[in-house]
């Protein structure tokens, strides 16, 4: 029996992005994000409750400001003391795992979905999911983009406006397009 497009997606293989079963996963999260984005900023407890409903798992001390946009939501897993500033987009076709004590600046995008380089592949409406992992004690500056398949280590600072296309080791500052290591961070005693 041939694999469904959804199973191909889950298995990290090329899948048809316009498949009805794949597309149906987005509908519920789109509605939940609309509900989240309609909650006034002066009602943080309601924002927190709705974010917990959207995400797959969350730790303690969750702060997410509006606007929030996700593909699926249930593939997003965040640890304790998570802060997402305004206008976070997470295309979580594949899992996004975020550690403890992570701050994400405004207008940041995290992508797990990629598409073919060839015009033929895009005409066939193909996509592939690659997980993103962000370690503990990470600060991602505003207007940054985290690309599919990237792992960001512990204690990392991503400079504002960076495009992270490759894995980042622990305890460094990265910046630029594409992001490169700028300096090592000396840890406090």
């Amino acid at each position: 029996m041939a694999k469904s497009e959804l199973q191909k997606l889950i298995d990290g293989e090329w899948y048809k992005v316009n498949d009805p079963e794949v597309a149906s996963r987005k509908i519920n999260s789109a509605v939940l994000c609309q509900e989240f984005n309609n909650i006034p900023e002066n009602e943080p407890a309601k924002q927190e409750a709705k974010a917990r409903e959207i995400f797959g798992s969350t730790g303690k001390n969750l702060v997410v400001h509006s606007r929030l946009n996700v593909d699926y939501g249930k593939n997003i897993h965040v640890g304790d003391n998570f802060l997402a500033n305004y206008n976070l987009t997470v295309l979580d076709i594949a899992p996004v795992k975020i550690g403890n004590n992570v701050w994400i600046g405004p207008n940041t995008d995290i992508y797990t979905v990629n598409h073919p380089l060839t015009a033929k592949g895009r005409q066939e409406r193909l996509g592939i999911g690659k997980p993103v992992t962000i370690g503990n004690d990470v600060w991602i500056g505003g207007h940054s983009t985290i690309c599919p398949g990237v792992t960001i280590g512990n204690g990392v600072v991503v400079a504002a406006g960076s495009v992270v296309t490759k894995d980042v080791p622990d305890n460094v500052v990265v910046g630029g397009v594409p992001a490169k290591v700028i300096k090592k961070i000396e840890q406090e005693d």
Side-chain angles (χ1 to χ4, degrees), residues 16-62:
K16 300 267 187 186
V17 298
N18 58 348
D19 176 77
E21 190 177 17
V22 170
S24 72
R25 289 171 43 141
K26 292 184 176 188
I27 293 170
N28 184 53
S29 62
V31 170
L32 291 172
C33 284
Q34 286 174 339
E35 292 171 1
F36 176 88
N37 292 327
N38 287 328
I39 298 170
E41 280 293 315
N42 65 351
E43 297 185 30
K46 287 184 180 178
Q47 285 180 318
E48 179 182 352
K50 186 58 69 173
R52 288 183 189 282
E53 186 179 348
I54 295 168
F55 292 173
S57 64
T58 57
K60 62 184 180 186
N61 302 321
L62 176 72

Side-chain angles (χ1 to χ4, degrees), residues 35-153:
E35 292 171 1
F36 176 88
N37 292 327
N38 287 328
I39 298 170
E41 280 293 315
N42 65 351
E43 297 185 30
K46 287 184 180 178
Q47 285 180 318
E48 179 182 352
K50 186 58 69 173
R52 288 183 189 282
E53 186 179 348
I54 295 168
F55 292 173
S57 64
T58 57
K60 62 184 180 186
N61 302 321
L62 176 72
V63 177
V64 180
H65 294 284
S66 65
R67 294 200 50 93
L68 173 65
N69 296 292
V70 303
D71 258 350
Y72 182 46
K74 295 305 177 191
N75 274 338
I76 302 169
H77 305 278
V78 302
D80 295 339
N81 307 314
F82 177 76
L83 168 67
N85 214 317
Y86 304 103
N87 303 316
L88 174 64
T89 296
V90 184
L91 302 185
D92 63 314
I93 290 297
V96 175
K97 296 178 183 171
I98 300 173
N100 297 320
N101 308 307
V102 173
W103 295 355
I104 298 179
N107 302 301
T108 292
D109 300 321
I110 300 171
Y111 305 140
T112 65
V113 64
N114 209 344
H115 301 285
L117 294 177
T118 65
K120 183 178 185 301
R122 291 189 305 277
Q123 290 165 2
E124 292 175 6
R125 313 288 292 162
L126 294 176
I128 191 166
K130 299 202 178 273
V132 168
T133 302
I134 299 170
N136 297 317
D137 303 304
V138 173
W139 175 23
I140 299 173
H143 287 276
S144 291
T145 300
I146 312 303
C147 291
V150 166
T151 295
I152 296 174

